[in-house]
Amino acid sequence: MLQVNKIVIGCDHAATGLKAKVIEHLEELGVSVTDVGTYSSDSCNYPLYAHKLCERIQSGEFKLGILICGTGVGMSMAANKHKGIRAACCSDTFSARLTRVHNDANVLCFGERVVGFGLACDMVDEFINAEYEGGKHAKRVDMITAIEEGHFELLK
Ligand code: RB5
């Protein structure tokens, strides 16, 4: 079951083509999509778009986001520097689902140079349909937050 009816998406110049297709796919599912850019294939810097997207999640406006670059790796690195953001770079559907269920990931990252359109959409479907399980996983997610906040004494 769809866990969100709106989502925020961003990319760099290496992924505008795949982003357009993913947006079309999401809209066909009835999900409203906000695109923070980039909007052209002119060379740009992916951390800027990771930041634009993460701000919209940190503010509470969106629960989930999608970031696409050449590999997905740079986007996930930049996104994970933001408080409260748990970004997962995936190239398989199992990880895309489990990162919601176990890690409460709020940003899915992948690469246009790594995955095709079909796999990208399948990963997006898994990500937006999966629900965070909490329970024993909550302590671990809390430990990630503790690291983020420098409370290393909570790591037991
Ligand atoms: C851009 O050439 C490329 O470095 C970027 O899209 C991404 O793959 C970085 O992780």
Side-chain angles (χ1 to χ4, degrees), residues 58-69:
Q58 287 175 315
S59 72
E61 185 182 358
F62 293 93
K63 178 182 170 188
L64 300 179
I66 297 169
L67 285 169
I68 319 172
C69 62

Side-chain angles (χ1 to χ4, degrees), residues 3-76:
Q3 300 298 312
V4 288
N5 57 14
K6 63 176 185 172
I7 202 158
V8 58
I9 195 166
C11 73
D12 73 356
H13 58 279
T16 49
L18 183 56
K19 183 180 70 175
K21 291 179 180 172
V22 169
I23 291 173
E24 198 180 317
H25 173 72
L26 283 162
E27 287 177 345
E28 278 169 11
L29 294 175
V31 178
S32 151
V33 184
T34 295
D35 182 1
V36 296
T38 188
Y39 306 112
S40 85
S41 53
D42 295 345
S43 183
C44 66
N45 302 312
Y46 59 82
L48 170 64
Y49 297 96
H51 181 61
K52 283 175 184 281
L53 180 136
C54 289
E55 280 186 314
R56 307 288 287 266
I57 294 179
Q58 287 175 315
S59 72
E61 185 182 358
F62 293 93
K63 178 182 170 188
L64 300 179
I66 297 169
L67 285 169
I68 319 172
C69 62
T71 59
V73 176
M75 282 294 198
S76 63

Side-chain angles (χ1 to χ4, degrees), residues 57-127:
I57 294 179
Q58 287 175 315
S59 72
E61 185 182 358
F62 293 93
K63 178 182 170 188
L64 300 179
I66 297 169
L67 285 169
I68 319 172
C69 62
T71 59
V73 176
M75 282 294 198
S76 63
M77 287 180 168
N80 278 320
K81 296 295 180 188
H82 293 77
K83 279 199 170 186
I85 299 298
R86 287 175 299 279
C89 182
C90 297
S91 53
D92 68 276
T93 52
F94 183 76
S95 301
R97 176 162 51 87
L98 266 289
T99 200
R100 282 287 308 128
V101 175
H102 288 187
N103 316 129
D104 198 17
N106 46 17
V107 180
L108 175 67
C109 305
F110 49 87
E112 173 164 334
R113 297 170 183 164
V114 181
V115 301
F117 168 58
L119 177 54
C121 290
D122 282 357
M123 289 196 297
V124 166
D125 290 349
E126 293 290 338
F127 188 71

